[in-house]
Amino acid sequence: MWLNILQGTIEQGLVFALLAMGVYLTFRIIDFPDLTVEGSFPLGASVTAVLIINGANPFLATFFAFIAGILAGMITGIINTKLKIAGLLAGILTMTSLYSINLRIMGRANIPLLREKTILTIIKDWGLPERYISLIAFVIIVLLVKFILDYFLYSEIGMALRATGDSPVMIESLGVNTDNIKILGLGLANGLTALSGALTCQYQGFADVGMGIGMIVIGLASVIIGEVVIRTSRIIYATLGVIVGSIIYRLAIAVALQLGFAPTDLKVVTAVLVILALGAPALRRFMIQDEFAERLLEGGASDAET
Amino acid sequence: MLKLNKVHKIFNLGRINENHALKDINLVVPKGDFVTIIGSNGAGKSTLLNLVAGTYSPESGTVEINGQDMTSRPVYKRAHLVGRVFQDPLKGTAAEMTIEENLSLAVKRGRPRGLRLGLNKKRREEFRRLLALLELGLENRLEDPVKLLSGGQRQALTLLMATLGDPEILLLDEYTANLDPKTAVQIVEITGRVVEQGELTVLMVTHDLKQALEMGNRTIMMDQGRIILDIKGEEREKTTVNSLLGKFSEKSGRELTNDRVLLQR
Ligand SMILES: Nc1ncnc2c1ncn2[C@@H]1O[C@H](COP(=O)(O)OP(=O)(O)OP(=O)(O)O)[C@@H](O)[C@H]1O
Ligand SMILES: [Mg+2]
């Protein structure tokens, strides 16, 4: 029983690690607060589900989901860089459009994949022990993606991508068109997110238009937990941290459920977690320096009055 | 060879805060010249450099580098010709990336970047050799993130990066202004060494009049968007800091006022 829960939790952590890698790419590497993720996650699921129920090869369906995610991210990038609309808003615009588009793709709000062929059923037919199929498949996929991502971030283009988030003025003065790099980065990040959505729908056995809600906060929570566990700016450890963070996040959620939180409460629990983690430096200052904290409070109160 | 022809730069054209920052600038800098630029606050020195780099384009006139018209090309499309060190030491390097990664970004200056690894053994050895020229011990710290370096070390690294990848022109805008005096001297020495290596054309803005006369082979003075003095050769050798100040008030009818210059007198 306990082992089953643990295994299921790790499997979920692995699937969502792909989403977390996407969030890591945007929020941390190119320094772009991208909300497209909330739409590209269900986009990946919709594309996969529709292709699978229409008889497409599940691997091909998953690949197309990845491509669809890339396109969605690139659109956000184009809205931001070419039309000069703020990044946050650009993401919201794409995300909102994707809600309608996902409904169009699916033709309805929910597609079950019962008894359909998926990546997991195919692997089962290869003769692997049924109990561990998902775990093995996800470990392989996530590690593969991690190594490809690591390689990419150490490549010439990948380094330009990292520099774009770190010091845009500098990398432009070295001949890189930062607009195009941002579009590339957003595409890649949302491709990973859609891939995560594609695997989630095959794992859970359904795709749903609403399955993207809260994904950005989940991704952020995973990235932050990963950074606490593995403190480094070296890419190979940082991407490992993201995977570990995603698994720890799922474990924390599993514990919260065991403690009696309703599943519907989890989003607020996650959000509070992220607020605490991101606000920690400010909170610490607040609590350590009493006198200063009091002045801050006074200042805050008088600000509120005026 | 750099050529500015009848260049005007007007900020906020047609608006109430319109600002004619550069007025009819004509400047020819032959390859290999090292020009120091001085002038009061707001004279247009940084704007001039920004026009060469491509940060801004002029309202009229042309900017030519090596005979090619660059007037409205964005920064990244002339990066293969122009290296740049910023006043802010934090701006010229990527803090989270390592010293060797930063250098590898610079060697691909203005050239297409692909999916090959940015670093390899050969490049690392080359970087170690180049860093040794700085004499700051950075050659033993290739894998340190740049954020661990001091302002002076970062500026020295930026200087090296600005000369990598074979640019024609090097732009230095008060690049030692944010450093303590001792480090500033060190960076200036390094500049001498790095620039001698190549056949770079250099434009250097400085607030230090003594330095302006000692470094390079030509000095121009700017005031209110115009070049009011351009000296080289014998005339420049005879010029002292005091006669430079005299020339400024003679040409502009005012005292040279620059918050940073005043400190130096
Ligand atoms: N982006 C901009 N928008 C509007 N006005 C600008 C801009 N950049 C510069 N200016 C104006 O152009 C004029 C020239 O500025 P510039 O920065 O070139 O002076 P400077 O000679 O470098 O002065 P300093 O010695 O203070 O650095 C100033 O009046 C400045 O306010
Ligand atoms: Mg200036």
Side-chain angles (χ1 to χ4, degrees):
Chain A
M1 166 68 189
W2 266 106
L3 266 183
N4 275 343
I5 294 181
L6 184 66
Q7 189 187 330
T9 307
I10 292 175
E11 286 166 3
Q12 284 176 11
L14 287 168
V15 174
F16 282 97
L18 298 173
L19 160 89
M21 281 190 228
V23 171
Y24 168 73
L25 260 186
T26 49
F27 276 74
R28 284 291 187 255
I29 298 281
I30 55 172
D31 196 20
F32 188 109
D34 178 35
L35 300 189
T36 317
V37 168
E38 305 245 328
S40 51
F41 185 82
L43 174 67
S46 324
V47 169
T48 308
V50 164
L51 287 175
I52 285 180
I53 59 170
N54 284 302
N57 178 309
F59 285 102
L60 209 61
T62 307
F63 176 72
F64 278 119
F66 177 62
I67 300 293
I70 290 180
L71 292 177
M74 288 177 73
I75 289 170
T76 299
I78 291 167
I79 294 174
N80 170 244
T81 58
K82 307 291 177 199
L83 302 181
K84 314 284 178 214
I85 292 175
L88 213 52
L89 185 55
I92 290 173
L93 290 169
T94 313
M95 173 188 93
T96 308
S97 324
L98 281 173
Y99 188 82
S100 304
I101 293 170
N102 290 338
L103 275 172
R104 275 274 170 216
I105 293 173
M106 296 204 288
R108 53 195 142 131
N110 186 296
I111 295 181
L113 288 178
L114 298 170
R115 280 185 295 283
E116 294 287 348
K117 244 189 176 177
T118 67
I119 285 184
L120 298 172
T121 63
I122 291 181
I123 294 177
K124 190 173 80 184
D125 294 342
W126 293 347
L128 288 171
E130 188 170 353
R131 233 196 116 207
Y132 298 111
I133 285 164
S134 304
L135 190 62
I136 293 169
F138 294 158
V139 166
I140 292 172
I141 293 172
V142 169
L143 286 182
L144 200 67
V145 170
K146 176 200 154 29
F147 288 128
I148 294 172
L149 185 63
D150 287 348
Y151 178 89
F152 173 72
L153 290 174
Y154 284 115
S155 74
E156 290 169 354
I157 297 186
M159 284 206 206
L161 188 88
R162 287 156 63 197
T164 298
D166 204 332
S167 182
V169 178
M170 171 272 247
I171 195 64
E172 209 182 347
S173 82
L174 292 174
V176 172
N177 181 343
T178 48
D179 284 358
N180 290 350
I181 289 280
K182 265 192 212 164
I183 295 170
L184 172 77
L186 285 163
L188 213 58
N190 283 284
L192 290 175
T193 307
L195 193 60
S196 183
L199 294 183
T200 302
C201 99
Q202 296 178 68
Y203 179 58
Q204 295 181 339
F206 66 87
D208 188 283
V209 270
M211 68 198 283
I213 298 171
M215 282 306 139
I216 194 71
V217 178
I218 292 178
L220 264 182
S222 308
V223 170
I224 293 166
I225 295 170
E227 283 168 350
V228 172
V229 179
I230 301 180
R231 293 182 165 277
T232 173
S233 56
R234 289 194 64 179
I235 295 297
I236 45 170
Y237 299 120
T239 51
L240 182 68
V242 171
I243 298 171
V244 173
S246 175
I247 292 172
I248 294 178
Y249 168 76
R250 284 291 150 190
L251 290 171
I253 291 298
V255 169
L257 285 173
Q258 294 298 316
L259 289 177
F261 279 96
T264 45
D265 292 338
L266 292 180
K267 292 211 195 307
V268 71
V269 173
T270 308
V272 169
L273 210 116
V274 171
I275 293 171
L276 287 179
L278 291 179
L283 285 174
R284 208 171 301 136
R285 226 175 304 132
F286 198 68
M287 291 193 295
I288 291 173
Q289 302 184 326
D290 270 352
E291 231 185 66
F292 186 63
E294 266 166 41
R295 241 183 299 148
L296 268 184
L297 272 178
E298 281 165 23
S302 59
D303 277 355
E305 276 163 27
T306 52
Chain B
M1 166 108 143
L2 168 71
K3 204 167 166 184
L4 281 84
N5 192 18
K6 299 200 185 98
V7 165
H8 287 264
K9 178 68 210 171
I10 307 168
F11 289 109
N12 307 313
L13 181 62
R15 268 182 270 162
I16 189 152
N17 54 347
E18 181 173 302
N19 186 348
H20 205 147
L22 289 180
K23 299 165 188 154
D24 194 34
I25 298 287
N26 292 290
L27 181 68
V28 178
V29 187
K31 188 179 172 79
D33 255 19
F34 190 133
V35 185
T36 57
I37 305 175
I38 53 177
S40 33
N41 291 125
K45 307 179 294 294
S46 299
T47 305
L48 180 72
L49 262 54
N50 280 325
L51 284 178
V52 176
T55 316
Y56 308 131
S57 45
E59 267 55 46
S60 71
T62 56
V63 179
E64 255 177 48
I65 302 175
N66 277 358
Q68 279 175 290
D69 183 22
M70 294 282 152
T71 312
S72 47
R73 279 210 215 176
V75 173
Y76 66 90
K77 279 195 187 156
R78 36 178 126 167
H80 61 295
L81 297 170
V82 183
R84 184 163 203 198
V85 183
F86 303 90
Q87 181 172 340
D88 180 357
L90 304 182
K91 257 194 183 167
T93 42
E96 296 291 331
M97 299 176 75
T98 63
I99 293 179
E100 56 182 9
E101 286 173 341
N102 272 278
L103 287 167
S104 80
L105 290 168
V107 286
K108 296 292 285 185
R109 165 186 304 284
R111 275 177 290 152
R113 291 162 204 262
L115 285 173
R116 263 169 310 166
L117 285 177
L119 281 163
N120 55 41
K121 213 172 146 216
K122 208 175 126 223
R123 279 211 182 138
R124 284 201 174 91
E125 264 157 32
E126 173 72 2
F127 293 161
R128 204 164 279 136
R129 187 183 68 75
L130 288 167
L131 286 166
L133 293 176
L134 303 181
E135 295 176 9
L136 295 173
L138 296 182
E139 62 274 21
N140 303 317
R141 301 179 59 184
L142 283 181
E143 292 188 35
D144 277 4
V146 165
K147 67 181 170 192
L148 299 181
L149 304 186
S150 69
Q153 288 170 331
R154 278 181 83 157
Q155 209 60 330
L157 179 62
T158 310
L159 186 61
L160 183 58
M161 287 166 63
T163 59
L164 283 185
D166 218 16
E168 286 287 319
I169 297 175
L170 177 63
L171 302 176
L172 309 170
D173 191 353
E174 303 204 37
Y175 69 125
T176 59
N178 286 2
L179 306 174
D180 64 80
K182 208 174 128 226
T183 315
V185 170
Q186 207 177 7
I187 296 292
V188 168
E189 275 171 21
I190 291 172
T191 310
R193 256 178 280 152
V194 177
V195 171
E196 261 177 347
Q197 308 267 315
E199 301 190 296
L200 274 171
T201 307
V202 186
L203 297 188
M204 174 173 114
V205 175
T206 177
H207 54 263
D208 183 339
L209 301 185
K210 197 158 154 273
Q211 189 186 64
L213 291 171
E214 277 168 3
M215 292 185 74
N217 62 340
R218 179 174 170 189
T219 299
I220 64 179
M221 187 189 272
M222 294 186 67
D223 184 54
Q224 298 187 328
R226 292 180 200 281
I227 295 176
I228 56 169
L229 186 75
D230 184 347
I231 50 175
K232 58 185 162 204
E234 212 180 312
E235 187 189 2
R236 184 169 179 268
E237 266 154 42
K238 282 188 294 187
T239 308
T240 62
V241 170
N242 275 328
S243 66
L244 208 54
L245 287 168
K247 275 182 179 146
F248 182 87
S249 41
E250 178 191 318
K251 301 255 179 187
S252 69
R254 291 178 294 111
E255 291 281 301
L256 178 57
T257 51
N258 184 311
D259 48 3
R260 295 178 291 268
V261 164
L262 288 177
L263 293 174
Q264 307 268 326
R265 281 169 75 186

